Amino acid sequence: MEEVRVTPWEAEAFVDYDRLIKVFGAKPLTEREVSALKSLTGELHPMVRRYVFYSHRDFDIYLERLRSGARCALYTGRGPSGYTHLGHILPWIFTKWLQDRLGLELFFQMTDDEKFWHDERLELSESNAYAYENSLDLIALGFDYRKTHIIVDSEDIGYLYPIATRVAKKITYSVQRATFGFTDSTNVGLVFYPVLQIAVSFLPTELYDEPTEVLIPAGIDQDPYWRIARDIAPSLGYPKPAQIHNKLLPGLGPEGKMSSSKPETAIYTTDPPEVASQKVMRAFTGGQPTVELQRRLGGNPDRCSVYKMYEMLFEEDDEKLRERYWSCRTGALLCGECKAQLAPRVATFLQDFQKRRERARDVVDRYLLRGKFEKPRVRKS
Ligand code: TYM
């Protein structure tokens, strides 16, 4: 089978998502799961209506278990290698919506250790500081501190280690290498790291001291961790974690997902609004090289980073989105106009967001897992 260029550390801008789920072995989200969700939430988030969240593992079973009153929780996270960009907050926006609609607690992992091991130039003190900076973004989205618990790996390892030791014993180096593409020169911190990301999917069961169904809303790039987690869960006595996967917001350049490794093509939540507007105005689009050609042949919204910003984040109204799609396709809408309409939306979003983000500094402590839960004990198996 052809190589798939999506891993937890890199991804193309326009991925063949259908092929990806076949290779990964996940299931496409269908009307069946979508209407099961709607029957619990009453309405649907645009990211579900538009299949931005488009694939899953056992999401249907999770919803059934939730409906039948089983203990359930949410889990997602962030590798704090720098400031947060709009791609990162995409799954968090949906996670917040799920928390509000379903009343679920969220466990949020900040992997300052992972990013220290992954990025040669990053000191642990820096990735640790980013863990707290990135927490401000989570809080600015409006998560409820009573139901949101942030775990910072380097400081909260005592919560994970009793689970991680047992997880580690179930995973061989050959599985790690095959799943993550590790080589002989990969440092052993990074080789161990997946154990910790997997351990959090079992943490709620330990903290609540009862079997807890966990749903992980996150980008499809994180799926390799969950394949292993699901394989080993039964032998450790934990429920298999379920997933719902989002597509990746493309960067504003000609290639690649929006990524911290390409700052010029990413919009950070900390960008001054005018800088973000300039990035939008310089974005690479799916348009034709000249106005004449664009009018005659139309653009290609399916491969346009600007259209994807509307579809995935900045246009709530389905009808308006459809209009934009067809105006682009038929050449009625030029790329310059489309960007000029997006730039102020992004700027206004950032202005409001940054106010909330600053206010969040005073309340970060309330969100930290430590202090709210006892550390899990080593269980007799
Ligand atoms: P990280 O920091 O790379 O990404 C954080 C979350 O953002 C998603 N994501 C994107 N979504 C849409 N468009 C993009 N361009 C984009 N780029 C990133 C990721 O899929 C992820 O959901 N190892 C993890 C940290 C982690 C984690 C977790 C993530 C620990 N536990 C549980 C998800 C779920 C990481 O480095 O994520």
Side-chain angles (χ1 to χ4, degrees):
M1 190 157 325
E2 238 179 283
E3 197 197 347
V4 191
R5 300 219 339 249
V6 175
T7 71
W9 300 284
E10 59 170 1
E12 300 160 81
F14 297 98
V15 176
D16 181 343
Y17 282 106
D18 294 333
R19 190 166 66 85
L20 191 59
I21 49 177
K22 280 199 194 109
V23 174
F24 280 4
K27 285 191 188 150
L29 196 73
T30 65
E31 268 178 40
R32 218 181 114 248
E33 292 84 31
V34 170
S35 60
L37 177 65
K38 194 172 176 197
S39 70
L40 285 170
T41 54
E43 53 175 352
L44 289 174
H45 193 276
M47 288 181 196
V48 174
R49 291 202 304 266
R50 295 174 193 168
Y51 291 92
V52 171
F53 276 85
Y54 86 111
S55 95
H56 75 107
R57 291 177 191 271
D58 283 355
F59 183 51
D60 44 349
I61 295 174
Y62 181 86
L63 293 176
E64 253 170 56
R65 303 281 296 134
L66 184 66
R67 191 189 280 282
S68 69
R71 182 73 132 154
C72 290
L74 298 168
Y75 162 37
T76 197
R78 159 82 177 126
S81 55
Y83 287 111
T84 302
H85 61 59
L86 296 181
H88 299 130
I89 65 171
L90 189 152
W92 307 348
I93 291 171
F94 179 61
T95 304
K96 155 88 168 68
W97 184 87
L98 285 175
Q99 177 177 79
D100 290 348
R101 296 295 182 295
L102 302 174
L104 295 166
E105 295 197 23
L106 166 67
F107 294 83
F108 192 99
Q109 184 179 28
M110 286 290 182
T111 59
D112 54 349
D113 50 354
E114 175 198 7
K115 292 299 153 171
F116 169 62
W117 287 323
H118 180 250
D119 185 339
E120 268 170 31
R121 290 154 307 171
L122 203 64
E123 292 297 332
L124 185 58
S125 57
E126 292 174 296
S127 57
N128 181 257
Y130 279 127
Y132 289 93
E133 275 297 314
N134 295 174
S135 297
L136 303 179
D137 298 300
L138 191 72
I139 298 169
L141 289 173
F143 282 93
D144 178 348
Y145 72 90
R146 285 161 299 195
K147 293 199 206 129
T148 306
H149 317 299
I150 298 175
I151 181 159
V152 182
D153 280 2
S154 69
E155 295 171 86
D156 298 320
I157 193 67
Y159 285 89
L160 298 184
Y161 211 56
I163 307 169
T165 42
R166 287 184 298 122
V167 167
K169 202 167 174 177
K170 296 281 175 196
I171 307 175
T172 62
Y173 178 57
S174 90
V175 166
Q176 294 288 72
R177 206 178 34 203
T179 310
F180 298 100
F182 295 145
T183 65
D184 283 354
S185 52
T186 305
N187 70 62
V188 296
L190 216 48
V191 175
F192 179 71
Y193 167 72
V195 167
L196 298 178
Q197 183 154 334
I198 291 167
V200 181
S201 54
F202 307 138
L203 182 63
T205 292
E206 294 290 347
L207 296 180
Y208 299 139
D209 202 16
E210 74 179 278
T212 305
E213 306 289 334
V214 168
L215 173 68
I216 308 170
I220 184 84
D221 59 323
Q222 300 296 311
D223 188 65
Y225 295 99
W226 321 131
R227 298 203 289 270
I228 302 178
R230 291 169 55 81
D231 278 352
I232 64 175
S235 68
L236 292 170
Y238 297 116
K240 286 186 180 189
Q243 288 84 45
I244 179 161
H245 304 118
N246 63 272
K247 296 178 186 169
L248 303 173
L249 184 70
L252 298 175
E255 55 194 27
K257 67 165 183 174
M258 190 170 283
S259 158
S260 310
S261 57
K262 295 200 202 92
E264 354 49 85
T265 65
I267 294 181
Y268 293 91
T269 61
T270 45
D271 276 345
E274 58 288 0
V275 170
S277 297
Q278 284 158 11
K279 287 183 182 174
V280 171
M281 292 310 292
R282 282 198 299 264
F284 185 83
T285 65
Q288 304 292 344
T290 65
V291 170
E292 289 68 36
L293 282 175
Q294 175 86 0
R295 292 274 185 229
R296 192 147 51 85
L297 303 173
N300 185 357
D302 295 316
R303 291 190 77 83
C304 175
S305 62
V306 172
Y307 178 77
K308 292 286 163 192
M309 288 270 276
Y310 283 109
E311 180 186 53
M312 295 169 88
L313 286 170
F314 286 99
E315 180 56 77
E316 286 229 345
D317 186 319
D318 291 346
E319 191 47 43
K320 288 193 179 142
L321 186 71
R322 231 185 324 270
E323 265 170 41
R324 183 173 299 282
Y325 184 90
W326 288 109
S327 312
C328 169
R329 272 244 170 266
T330 55
L333 179 67
L334 299 178
C335 297
E337 296 163 348
C338 192
K339 289 183 198 178
Q341 291 161 8
L342 180 63
R345 289 195 200 191
V346 173
T348 308
F349 167 80
L350 288 179
Q351 257 154 15
D352 293 347
F353 190 86
Q354 286 167 6
K355 282 188 203 134
R356 293 199 298 278
R357 193 177 181 281
E358 276 316 299
R359 285 201 295 271
R361 286 189 194 279
D362 299 333
V363 294
V364 180
D365 285 357
R366 293 186 192 165
Y367 288 80
L368 301 178
L369 178 112
R370 71 188 88 111
K372 297 202 233 179
F373 290 91
E374 293 285 313
K375 290 196 181 99
R377 304 248 173 112
V378 176
R379 281 199 297 156
K380 285 202 187 117
S381 42

